[in-house]
């Protein structure tokens, strides 16, 4: 597969065309941003860990019946994925209160929910990714009703799989964000990444945060947290 021109550069990844019109290459960077790009920094080695962790989990999710964009890991930072048009919704699942949920509803972090929750944000940097409900997303033609139902089904299946897999590594899955894409034939697949950038991971025993909150909240040892997650999940 031949890497061609850069199509796009996002906050944490670059995307390149290939000689196959249905395949693109994602290239994971060490750049980190938070609060809609207001806080910027570098987390050394993050791109390698996020690439490898995402691919590991996407391979397993495919086996568990969730279709994904994953094709082939090409190098430490580069992966070939199916070309999709991203559904402009951030899909957030929560098992425990934290972050914007705790702030929005004026509750402490760490409340364990009886059932996981799901919410959507409209992916739009100019608007600051506002919270959106199903009806509004359908009205704005961001996705059809059927696509949203399928996305919800996949998102809860990802939660069941991730919660179990992480618990085996001594990690509590607090919450996470997913993005879905559409192939040219309309098939919905899981896209983007699953990493400490996009999930909250707490150590089961100590409650220590092992995710991007260490960067967002200036907790220190940010690199160490990413490395610890790689060690627990990938054995390296
Ligand atoms: N999240 C993300 N990208 C975003 C917003 C949230 O990956 O643009 C992830 C975040 O890492 C956390 C979950 O989604 O695991 C829920 O985030 P929350 O809504 O609490 O927002 P935050 O507190 O991060 O602003």
């Amino acid at each position: 597969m031949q890497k061609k021109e850069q199509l796009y550069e996002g906050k944490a990844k670059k995307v390149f065309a290939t000689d196959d019109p249905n395949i693109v290459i994602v290239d994971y960077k060490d750049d980190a941003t938070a609060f809609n790009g207001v806080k910027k920094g570098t987390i050394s080695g993050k791109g390698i860990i996020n690439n490898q962790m995402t691919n590991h989990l996407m391979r397993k999710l495919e086996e568990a019946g969730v279709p994904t964009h994953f094709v082939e890991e090409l190098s430490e930072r580069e992966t070939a994925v199916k070309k999709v048009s991203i559904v402009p919704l951030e899909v957030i699942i929560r098992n425990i209160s934290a972050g914007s949920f705790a702030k929005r509803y004026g509750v402490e972090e760490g409340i364990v929910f009886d059932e996981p929750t799901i919410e959507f944000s409209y992916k739009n940097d100019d608007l600051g990714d506002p919270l959106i409900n199903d009806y509004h997303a359908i009205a704005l033609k961001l996705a059809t009703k059927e696509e949203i139902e399928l996305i919800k089904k996949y998102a809860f299946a990802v939660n069941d799989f991730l919660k179990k897999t992480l618990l085996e590594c001594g990690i509590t899955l607090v919450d996470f964000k997913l993005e879905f894409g559409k192939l040219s034939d309309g098939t919905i697949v899981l896209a983007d990444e699953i990493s400490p950038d996009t999930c909250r991971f707490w150590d089961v025993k100590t409650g220590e945060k092992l995710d991007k909150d260490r960067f967002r909240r200036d907790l220190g040892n940010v690199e160490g947290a990413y490395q610890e997650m790689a060690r627990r999940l990938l054995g390296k």
Side-chain angles (χ1 to χ4, degrees), residues 145-196:
K145 194 172 176 178
E146 292 71 27
E147 286 166 352
I148 288 180
E149 287 312 312
L150 194 56
I151 285 171
K152 282 187 188 170
K153 189 183 99 173
Y154 289 155
F156 283 119
V158 171
N159 186 46
D160 289 341
F161 166 81
L162 278 184
K163 241 181 11 186
K164 180 169 158 288
T165 302
L166 288 157
L167 202 53
E168 288 166 3
C169 309
I171 298 293
T172 304
L173 177 63
V174 176
D175 58 28
F176 59 96
K177 183 260 308 180
L178 300 175
E179 294 184 22
F180 290 85
K182 264 166 87 169
L183 303 180
S184 56
D185 68 359
T187 306
I188 296 279
V189 297
L190 179 62
D192 195 47
E193 64 180 285
I194 306 174
S195 72

Side-chain angles (χ1 to χ4, degrees), residues 90 92 94 98-100 175-177 197-200 216:
E90 296 194 338
I92 294 171
R94 301 178 191 272
S100 72
D175 58 28
F176 59 96
K177 183 260 308 180
D197 272 13
T198 61
C199 305
R200 285 194 168 94
R216 294 189 190 99

Side-chain angles (χ1 to χ4, degrees), residues 62-75:
E62 285 275 355
E63 287 169 23
V66 178
T68 78
H69 71 165
F70 176 76
V71 176
E72 187 189 357
E73 189 167 298
L74 299 173
S75 72

